[in-house]
Amino acid sequence: MVVSERSLASISKEELGKLLYQMILIRRFEEKAAEMYARGKIRGFLHLYIGQEAVGVGVISRLRADDYIYSHYREHGQAIARGLDPKAIMAELFGKATGVSRGLGGSMHIFDISKRFMGGYAIVAGHMPLACGTALAQKHLGTDAVTVSILGDGAVNEGAFHEALNLAAVWKLPVLFLCENNFYGMGTAMSRVSASTDIYKRAEAYGIRSEQVDGMDVIEVAKKTEQALQLIRRGEGPYFLEAITYRFRGHSMADPELYRDKSEVDHWRQNDPIKTFSDALIQGGMFNQGEIEVVWKKVEEEVEEAARFADESPFPDVSTLTNHMYAPSPLDNLQTEGPLDA
Amino acid sequence: MPEMLIREALREAIREEMLANERVILMGEDVGPYGGAYGVSKGLLEEFGPDRIIDTPISELGFVGAGIGAAMAGLRPIVEIMTINFSFLALDQIINSASKIHYMFGGQVSVPVVIRMASGARLSVGAQHSHSIEGWFAHVPGLKVAVPSNPADSKGLLKTAMRDENPVIFIENTASYGMKGEVPEGEYYVPFGKARIARQGKDVTIIGYSGSVIEATKAGELLAQEDIDAEVIDLRTLRPLDKEAILESVKKTGRCVVVEHAWRFGGFGAEIAAIIQEEAFDYLDAPVGRVAGVEVPMPYSMPLEVAALPTGEQVVEAVRALF
Ligand SMILES: Cc1ncc(C[n+]2csc(CCOP(=O)(O)OP(=O)(O)O)c2C)c(N)n1
Ligand SMILES: [Mg+2]
């Protein structure tokens, strides 16, 4: 599963550098987040994306600014790949007023409307119908924007998964379903609770074009995404990508990981998507070791800056607790029944 | 009496009932090798095997419904929903099926299923993982709702739930699994519909359930320093509700404050206030007070989450306002 040199050749050095930068930024950002968690700066659940960086970076690199993304709770990495400000993401993890969701959401609820990053959601599969609705709106409005719905392997046994697939297929909605199959839902191996473990075949059953992709290879992911997006934008309905990947860390921060062998984890770590991509870039002559070290250094500065910003930012004022409960509506002050005044 | 944590008391109850009756099974997400999201089922798979300790897919509607169907055909399932937040996905099965089947089919079949779930906030897990909707379930005739607040009641109420012929919604407080306390050994059943007087007093009645018993008790202690002698009632079950204990206490004290983590509007506290004004109006020296969660989805940010939940001090203030 080594990144193929031939496919690298078709991509500009600048773009390759950007993919590498984002993957390393996600890696270091999350390692920093784990450190901040241990120091009590981040609380509650913190689900790390480490090991899966090639999936989010590869897919999101192919999107346009007017495309939408919905994800689940393991979403910091995807948010970074989408270009959300790492400072504001870190501040969200700290629960600060400067966070992307103003400290109200936390790690599982990263959201930035300006990037059409439509949120992390903490109910498994719960966001998939929302993505269908957003795609329905795009179709209705006559745009060719695509909505991406990112889910885990654990989501595929929920009713919402099946209802969303059916809706997307029957209405020919411009949705790209991206299933990140990391083999486990919390402590349960997919194979122990799923009658069929070829997830992409479930999409086929709904008449949705689908395929598997090596989720540890950022270029492969980007290429398959490109093809999928072309079809979707042409009006051919939804597409389902199953990315085979692995999370290197526990499910959340307090996970003794008794459900998997250390040797299995080590095996996957050998195939670290950042390392294989860096090696391929060097072997292909696109980057030298020194240039890659510069990337790590630049990332380091950005991550330190994010942590400093988050730490120095204020908590939301308690007086704001009930702000944003209802959006103001034009008829809020309507006093009597009958027609509206001209 | 041995001391144990709430999670251990729950495990002991499950274990004892499983030993007593082969037809008891436990199913839910990660209840097997993982031992349950809150560690309640640790070791049970090893002892009872995979036919009785069943890991389910993440499909709450499916496996809760399966628990109900199994109960209709002679098993005694305990279904664990990882947290109360995911019970929303199974509400159809719980309300449209479990709560109605005995009545709708003229009593021909009963539904002895226990549906356990972890409820409440205070763990900084945000808006979609911090619900306190005990009162929603209590609203539904046909369900019984148990809401223990300590280790002994956790064991005793769960054992009683598992002997009940009806669907029991058994709600555990997420933030309390590590609470330690004395638990009677062996056969120990706590009756449904019998509240616990956590503190005897004569000046005011403070009522709590599940996690809010902590604030109710704290308020009782604080008030004692001001020479206000509070009686603290832990409801233990919301349905059936121990009306007698509430009314008896209020008739003695003439004042009452209800404490709950749930949203105030349309909450269970309102039901208690209504019962008191219907049945003990003449004994009241002041309106029934309510201390409840602020009506927002639970914010993640710690200072906001703290501000959104009741405190013992707020209960004290609410009591003072009655004098
Ligand atoms: C409806 C629902 N049920 C259960 C949970 C608890 N839970 C959180 S994450 C998770 C595992 C999901 O696994 P997967 O979809 O594979 O995503 P991964 O964590 O592997 O990225 C579970 C069971 C939940 N959040 N929502
Ligand atoms: Mg998974």
Side-chain angles (χ1 to χ4, degrees), chain A residues 41-60:
Chain A
K41 299 278 186 188
I42 300 173
R43 300 168 49 81
F45 292 141
L46 181 70
H47 307 93
L48 301 182
Y49 197 56
I50 292 175
Q52 302 181 206
E53 294 93 341
V55 184
V57 169
V59 169
I60 293 167

Side-chain angles (χ1 to χ4, degrees), chain A residues 123-157:
Chain A
I123 300 302
V124 168
H127 60 291
M128 294 179 67
L130 307 182
C132 290
T134 292
L136 177 70
Q138 295 320 297
K139 202 173 163 177
H140 192 79
L141 297 170
T143 84
D144 67 346
V146 170
T147 303
V148 183
S149 173
I150 305 177
L151 53 134
D153 50 281
V156 307
N157 296 312

Side-chain angles (χ1 to χ4, degrees), chain B:
Chain B
M1 246 188 282
E3 289 218 322
M4 58 177 80
L5 310 179
I6 283 186
R7 66 164 56 84
E8 295 166 344
L10 293 165
R11 188 185 310 143
E12 187 162 285
I14 296 171
R15 205 181 149 257
E16 286 177 11
E17 294 297 309
M18 290 193 76
L19 288 170
N21 185 349
E22 289 242 309
R23 293 187 166 211
V24 176
I25 60 167
L26 170 70
M27 60 178 168
E29 292 159 20
D30 276 316
V31 297
Y34 199 82
Y38 295 97
V40 171
S41 56
K42 280 230 158 68
L44 295 182
L45 174 67
E46 290 75 3
E47 184 169 0
F48 297 104
D51 289 342
R52 296 183 69 193
I53 306 292
I54 304 168
D55 264 338
T56 63
I58 308 172
S59 61
E60 289 79 6
L61 178 120
F63 69 77
V64 170
I68 295 165
M72 292 166 71
L75 295 190
R76 314 279 309 189
I78 310 167
V79 181
E80 175 176 308
I81 300 181
M82 196 176 273
T83 78
I84 200 165
N85 312 285
F86 318 142
S87 74
F88 297 172
L89 283 76
L91 280 183
D92 170 60
Q93 297 293 336
I94 295 172
I95 296 170
N96 269 324
S97 296
S99 78
K100 298 181 167 50
I101 281 171
H102 183 67
Y103 180 87
M104 191 165 73
F105 298 126
Q108 296 179 73
V109 67
S110 63
V111 186
V113 62
V114 178
I115 305 174
R116 294 176 41 236
M117 53 190 85
S119 155
R122 288 208 200 294
L123 295 180
S124 296
V125 291
Q128 294 188 321
H129 272 55
S130 302
H131 288 97
S132 299
I133 51 149
E134 295 83 356
W136 292 17
F137 289 111
H139 182 64
V140 183
L143 300 179
K144 296 189 181 182
V145 181
V147 284
S149 71
N150 61 41
D153 285 351
S154 294
K155 173 173 174 180
L157 288 171
L158 185 53
K159 282 175 70 81
T160 303
M162 290 163 69
R163 298 294 172 113
D164 207 287
E165 285 302 321
N166 300 284
V168 178
I169 306 298
F170 193 92
I171 300 176
E172 300 155 15
N173 183 252
T174 321
S176 300
Y177 281 107
M179 180 195 286
K180 200 170 196 172
E182 290 193 336
V183 176
E185 270 174 287
E187 293 299 274
Y188 179 66
Y189 296 85
V190 172
F192 278 13
K194 290 273 179 261
R196 179 178 68 96
I197 308 297
R199 182 183 199 283
Q200 295 218 325
K202 58 178 182 9
D203 298 331
V204 62
T205 303
I206 304 176
I207 299 177
Y209 60 87
S210 189
S212 75
V213 173
I214 293 173
E215 291 83 42
T217 307
K218 169 110 185 278
E221 287 160 12
L222 292 172
L223 287 164
Q225 295 164 16
E226 313 182 4
D227 283 333
I228 296 178
D229 187 15
E231 181 143 295
V232 177
I233 297 183
D234 174 354
L235 292 176
R236 283 176 159 166
T237 56
L238 300 185
R239 195 187 261 266
L241 177 68
D242 191 351
K243 270 191 354 186
E244 284 63 38
I246 295 169
L247 293 171
E248 200 180 302
S249 179
V250 171
K251 285 177 182 173
K252 177 171 67 177
T253 62
R255 293 177 171 85
C256 180
V257 169
V258 188
V259 196
E260 57 188 338
H261 293 181
W263 294 304
R264 177 188 171 96
F265 189 90
F268 197 76
E271 177 64 29
I272 295 178
I275 290 172
I276 293 172
Q277 67 86 17
E278 281 166 356
E279 302 192 33
F281 187 75
D282 292 340
Y283 295 84
L284 285 177
D285 294 320
V288 175
R290 285 190 284 158
V291 179
V294 176
E295 283 170 41
V296 288
M298 192 57 66
Y300 162 71
S301 188
M302 169 123 98
L304 296 188
E305 179 172 34
V306 168
L309 290 164
T311 62
E313 287 73 16
Q314 283 170 0
V315 179
V316 168
E317 262 170 55
V319 167
R320 277 200 209 115
L322 305 183
F323 285 89

Side-chain angles (χ1 to χ4, degrees), chain A residues 22-319:
Chain A
Q22 284 192 332
M23 285 167 66
I24 296 174
L25 178 57
I26 294 169
R27 176 71 54 94
R28 289 296 301 133
F29 178 94
E30 296 224 305
E31 285 170 350
K32 179 58 82 179
E35 189 187 321
M36 293 296 122
Y37 192 90
R39 285 176 44 192
K41 299 278 186 188
I42 300 173
R43 300 168 49 81
F45 292 141
L46 181 70
H47 307 93
L48 301 182
Y49 197 56
I50 292 175
Q52 302 181 206
E53 294 93 341
V55 184
V57 169
V59 169
I60 293 167
S61 71
R62 300 296 96 190
L63 298 181
R64 295 193 321 225
D66 63 342
D67 293 330
Y68 288 89
I69 301 175
Y70 283 85
S71 189
H72 59 171
Y73 50 84
R74 194 181 299 286
E75 89 285 33
H76 322 138
Q78 299 145 4
I80 288 173
R82 185 56 168 168
L84 275 70
D85 181 359
K87 293 204 296 291
I89 301 174
M90 191 65 90
E92 188 62 37
L93 304 189
F94 277 55
K96 297 299 183 72
T98 52
V100 277
S101 306
R102 301 180 182 138
L104 300 175
S107 159
M108 302 195 288
H109 305 300
I110 303 292
F111 193 106
D112 185 345
I113 192 71
S114 72
K115 303 283 182 193
R116 299 200 166 185
F117 191 84
M118 304 302 281
Y121 295 82
I123 300 302
V124 168
H127 60 291
M128 294 179 67
L130 307 182
C132 290
T134 292
L136 177 70
Q138 295 320 297
K139 202 173 163 177
H140 192 79
L141 297 170
T143 84
D144 67 346
V146 170
T147 303
V148 183
S149 173
I150 305 177
L151 53 134
D153 50 281
V156 307
N157 296 312
E158 286 284 17
F161 169 91
H162 293 274
E163 297 188 27
L165 255 55
N166 183 58
L167 285 178
V170 74
W171 290 342
K172 280 192 166 255
L173 298 177
V175 184
L176 173 62
F177 294 104
L178 170 64
C179 179
E180 302 200 39
N181 183 355
N182 60 12
F183 301 96
Y184 295 91
M186 278 186 75
T188 299
M190 155 104 193
S191 54
R192 292 185 48 235
V193 290
S194 283
S196 143
T197 53
D198 287 327
I199 292 172
Y200 71 100
K201 287 189 184 160
R202 300 189 183 208
E204 273 172 11
Y206 290 96
I208 297 174
R209 258 184 261 251
S210 70
E211 68 183 316
Q212 272 183 344
V213 56
D214 176 4
M216 304 309 263
D217 181 339
V218 66
I219 299 299
E220 264 310 292
V221 173
K223 275 172 47 189
K224 292 251 159 89
T225 303
E226 187 75 59
Q227 290 159 9
L229 289 173
Q230 272 175 19
L231 291 171
I232 300 171
R233 289 200 210 285
R234 235 194 271 150
E236 300 202 9
Y239 200 100
F240 191 102
L241 265 186
E242 176 188 359
I244 305 298
T245 182
Y246 202 78
R247 67 168 156 72
F248 291 173
R249 300 290 195 101
H251 169 75
S252 182
M253 297 311 285
D255 177 358
E257 295 185 58
L258 300 176
Y259 50 84
R260 61 183 191 183
D261 277 351
K262 218 185 144 289
S263 62
E264 180 187 296
V265 182
D266 288 342
H267 169 78
W268 280 90
R269 279 180 181 273
Q270 299 295 313
N271 194 22
D272 184 319
I274 294 177
K275 191 171 177 308
T276 50
F277 187 44
S278 304
D279 289 350
L281 289 175
I282 292 171
Q283 274 158 27
M286 271 80 79
F287 278 71
N288 62 40
Q289 186 65 39
E291 287 172 310
I292 287 179
E293 275 160 22
V294 170
V295 174
W296 282 90
K297 254 188 78 196
K298 264 182 62 192
V299 162
E300 212 50 43
E301 283 162 23
E302 187 165 1
V303 168
E304 283 305 326
E305 174 60 20
R308 193 175 329 113
F309 173 81
D311 205 27
E312 287 169 0
S313 290
F315 280 108
D317 196 281
V318 168
S319 67

